[in-house]
Amino acid sequence: MIWIELSDNGYSPTCQAGLRLSRSGYSEAGITPVDQGVPQGSVLGPLLFAAYMSPISRIIDHHGIRQQHYADDTSLYVEVDDPHNFPPPNLISCSNHLSAWCLSNHMMINPHKPEAILFGSSAMLKKFDLTKSIHLAGVDVPLQPTVKILGVTLDSTLSYDPQISYISQSVNFHTRALRHIRHMLPLNFASTLSCSVVASRLDYCNSILVNTSPHNILRLQRLQNKLARVVSEVGPRTDSLPLLSKLHWLPIRDRITFKCACLTHRSLQDDAPAYLHSTLTPYVPNRALRSSDSGLLTSPNLSGRLSIASRSFAVAAPQIWNELSIQTRLSSSYDSFRRALKTELMAATLQT
């Protein structure tokens, strides 16, 4: 699978209009009329930009390419099975079509923003020439070993090792900073500060780490253990499990399970994106059974698939959901589900 991202103002207007300002404020020229685009930072800017760019979705669909959009980030991804058919012709024709549309609508694709990466297993990647460039909109875009989208670093084999390294660097930096001022803070404030500043980095997009390697889980768990010892003001060799229980912190693996289960609950309640909801299928037995009303999900068949398939939401979500107690699955509201889920996971952690 090849992924193309046009991000961070990848679409640049050919001209800009707005208020003319000087260092001392408004210039003598006064207000310049805006006949194209909107001033940067305006309230209506994001809404008008999304409406203005909406036709590109139909252009991309016309070429049979899947897409994702977030604010001004546009990502295209297409499956590639044949190394001799790389880069795919439909991707090249789609990029040319997008470039022509932008030019005809007073915009242009910023040649310095597009990124490309080829995802696959190590054996599959060896069949492709990774030194090749993809010619998009008149620019040669080389294949990258990693790309960063929405703050998450993706590598070619989706091992997430670079992402874990980035998290480790960030968490260690803030943990050291917290250690310097810990003696001046009460325990409750230190715990709140550590959760908002440090632990939030461990939780950001952690649902993608479902069924990741034990080595990555261990790396993140060491970071959380270190943070718990700093907040509790104990030595570096103190057992971390009682500290986590006292602070009411779930271990890393359970935090990942918690996030995925919450996404599953919201998807079942139609409170999540449609592409997540479409991957879940309620379990319906062939005949009337007691499990018919237990809120179970159908687990996809993984026979013949790569092991990385077990980390997808369509596979991991039903597995995690079906392992929860029936009382937790049938919670009446999202808030009550979160409380019951954390209680269940914390009890399981203490038993081990």
Side-chain angles (χ1 to χ4, degrees), residues 226-271:
K226 182 188 297 185
L227 178 62
R229 294 185 182 106
V230 170
V231 172
S232 303
E233 292 187 294
V234 296
R237 297 184 178 276
T238 305
D239 186 11
S240 59
L241 185 58
L243 301 179
L244 297 178
S245 177
K246 181 180 179 181
L247 294 171
H248 300 285
W249 292 358
L250 290 172
I252 293 297
R253 190 178 297 277
D254 289 337
R255 295 173 89 92
I256 296 173
T257 301
F258 182 87
K259 178 68 71 66
C260 189
C262 288
L263 283 175
T264 305
H265 184 276
R266 296 184 62 179
S267 299
L268 294 174
Q269 300 299 322
D270 291 332
D271 193 25

Side-chain angles (χ1 to χ4, degrees), residues 17-19 31-39:
L19 300 178
I31 298 178
T32 300
V34 179
D35 54 4
Q36 292 182 3
V38 292

Side-chain angles (χ1 to χ4, degrees), residues 2-5 113-118 134 136 141-147:
I2 186 170
W3 182 295
I4 303 292
E5 183 187 4
K113 294 298 183 180
E115 294 182 298
I117 187 173
L118 191 63
I134 302 176
L136 297 176
V141 180
L143 291 174
Q144 303 292 336
T146 61
V147 295

Side-chain angles (χ1 to χ4, degrees), residues 210 256-258 260-261 264 315-324 341:
V210 172
I256 296 173
T257 301
F258 182 87
C260 189
T264 305
V315 176
Q319 292 177 349
I320 292 175
W321 184 261
N322 293 342
E323 291 176 357
L324 300 178
L341 176 61

